[in-house]
Amino acid sequence: MREQLQSEAQHDSAVAASEAAHVEVLSASLEDYLKAILRLERASQAVRASEIAEQLEVSRPSVTGALKTLAARGLVVHAPYGHVALTEEGVVIAEEVERRHVAIRDFLTRVLGVPEEKAETTACRLEHVLEPDVLAHFVRYAAKHA
Amino acid sequence: MREQLQSEAQHDSAVAASEAAHVEVLSASLEDYLKAILRLERASQAVRASEIAEQLEVSRPSVTGALKTLAARGLVVHAPYGHVALTEEGVVIAEEVERRHVAIRDFLTRVLGVPEEKAETTACRLEHVLEPDVLAHFVRYAAKHA
DNA sequence: ACCGTAAAATAGGCGCGCCTAACTTTCAGT
DNA sequence: ACTGAAAGTTAGGCGCGCCTATTTTACGGT
């Protein structure tokens, strides 16, 4: 807080093709929403706002608000009273967050020996705070010291 | 945000004697203020609000507000228009934050090989997010793999 | 002793992310 | 087809952390 975190989203690999390259600096909260939607899309076919609310332990109106913001940024599509779906760009970002999450979690468990569950919840927070280049160090190290 | 981070401040050692044991969950922002004041106390004798503002790159009114909160929690003393000083409890917490900061920074540089400056700024954020028990894993690992 | 300047405080506002309460829409069961 | 419950939205509010503009206080120099 107070410093601009998030850096200039570095869609390193697959993105290149995406349209705007708006830089899209998302808050930790909005990243969480994207991640939750991604996961729900895998599990159920049609994602409902209430599922998101449940997953994130947030009220339904909070979800409505977040979806509005995400829709405005073109990361999500949702007809009022209808289902929710990530746009292509939304998927890219959500997967990026997911990727960071997994990388951090794995580092914590495999390298440091942090218990599974603790690693999971910790990764949920670190994923919004570690800049890509620093994360790269974690990944490289884990690869060597499997 | 959304999950209560910060854990129950674990004043492990020296505190015991302190009064309330209010649990004192401080926001990342307030922890930053304490840390800044601690550092300024070391450098100058009399800490001025404007120094804090400068260090944290924040306006003076923001400092006034933060000091009011910290004073209300008994972590800081400051006569209106006067100097600022940490209370005993304030020092304990500030040093705790500092300790976390150093531990994280050292891990990043010594273990992962993250460049000094990057490690410094990253530690500034991680220090508010890593729970004590997870941090302990970092510390233990760094000790072994110096 | 007086005044100007610099430091601090107050007043008022803004964005974000969350909430509850109340209203609307959807849809499944009869 | 109709209705009632569940899902969604709107309205209004709150706390936090920050800001600018303005006022108040403190203090060094003459």
Side-chain angles (χ1 to χ4, degrees):
Chain A
M1 308 79 223
R2 156 162 344 113
E3 290 179 271
Q4 281 310 50
L5 315 183
Q6 259 40 270
S7 79
E8 283 71 62
Q10 43 54 269
H11 321 164
D12 25 20
S13 47
V15 189
S18 272
E19 50 273 54
H22 237 190
V23 187
E24 296 294 1
V25 179
L26 293 176
S27 66
S29 175
L30 291 181
E31 286 190 348
D32 281 338
Y33 280 100
L34 287 184
K35 198 178 61 173
I37 296 168
L38 181 67
R39 288 177 177 178
L40 289 167
E41 278 190 347
R42 286 173 185 157
S44 32
Q45 203 58 278
V47 177
R48 310 199 129 285
S50 57
E51 298 178 287
I52 301 170
E54 195 183 344
Q55 247 228 355
L56 294 179
E57 297 187 85
V58 144
S59 73
R60 276 188 292 253
S62 295
V63 175
T64 302
L67 290 179
K68 204 173 291 185
T69 303
L70 290 172
R73 302 211 195 190
L75 303 178
V76 139
V77 179
H78 91 300
Y81 295 97
H83 296 157
V84 179
L86 293 171
T87 62
E88 268 188 52
E89 199 186 346
V91 171
V92 170
I93 296 181
E95 283 178 344
E96 172 60 26
V97 175
E98 177 91 333
R99 195 183 68 73
R100 296 200 302 250
H101 178 89
V102 171
I104 294 163
R105 190 197 57 204
D106 288 357
F107 181 90
L108 292 174
T109 55
R110 301 205 189 129
V111 178
L112 298 188
V114 174
E116 280 290 345
E117 203 184 318
K118 200 80 189 182
E120 185 63 33
T121 61
T122 301
C124 275
R125 283 176 272 129
L126 291 199
E127 72 195 11
H128 306 298
V129 145
L130 278 185
E131 291 168 303
D133 55 338
V134 178
L135 182 58
H137 281 275
F138 280 81
V139 172
R140 264 200 298 280
Y141 189 92
K144 278 190 192 130
H145 307 68
Chain B
M1 306 81 218
R2 156 158 346 110
E3 292 178 87
Q4 282 306 50
L5 316 183
Q6 261 34 276
S7 78
E8 282 71 60
Q10 39 57 272
H11 320 166
D12 24 21
S13 46
V15 187
S18 273
E19 48 271 55
H22 240 188
V23 186
E24 296 294 1
V25 180
L26 293 177
S27 66
S29 174
L30 291 181
E31 286 190 347
D32 280 339
Y33 281 101
L34 287 184
K35 197 178 63 174
I37 296 168
L38 181 67
R39 288 177 177 178
L40 289 168
E41 279 191 344
R42 286 173 185 156
S44 33
Q45 203 57 278
V47 178
R48 311 198 127 286
S50 57
E51 297 179 288
I52 301 170
E54 194 184 346
Q55 247 228 352
L56 295 179
E57 297 186 82
V58 144
S59 72
R60 277 187 294 251
S62 295
V63 175
T64 301
L67 290 179
K68 205 175 291 186
T69 303
L70 290 172
R73 301 212 196 188
L75 303 178
V76 138
V77 179
H78 90 299
Y81 295 97
H83 295 156
V84 178
L86 294 170
T87 62
E88 267 187 52
E89 199 184 347
V91 171
V92 170
I93 297 181
E95 283 177 344
E96 172 60 25
V97 176
E98 177 91 334
R99 192 182 69 73
R100 297 200 302 250
H101 178 89
V102 171
I104 293 163
R105 190 196 57 202
D106 287 357
F107 180 91
L108 292 173
T109 55
R110 302 206 188 129
V111 177
L112 299 188
V114 174
E116 281 289 345
E117 203 183 318
K118 200 79 189 180
E120 185 63 34
T121 62
T122 301
C124 274
R125 284 176 273 128
L126 291 200
E127 72 194 11
H128 306 297
V129 145
L130 279 184
E131 292 168 304
D133 54 340
V134 178
L135 182 57
H137 281 275
F138 280 80
V139 172
R140 265 200 298 280
Y141 189 91
K144 275 187 194 131
H145 307 68

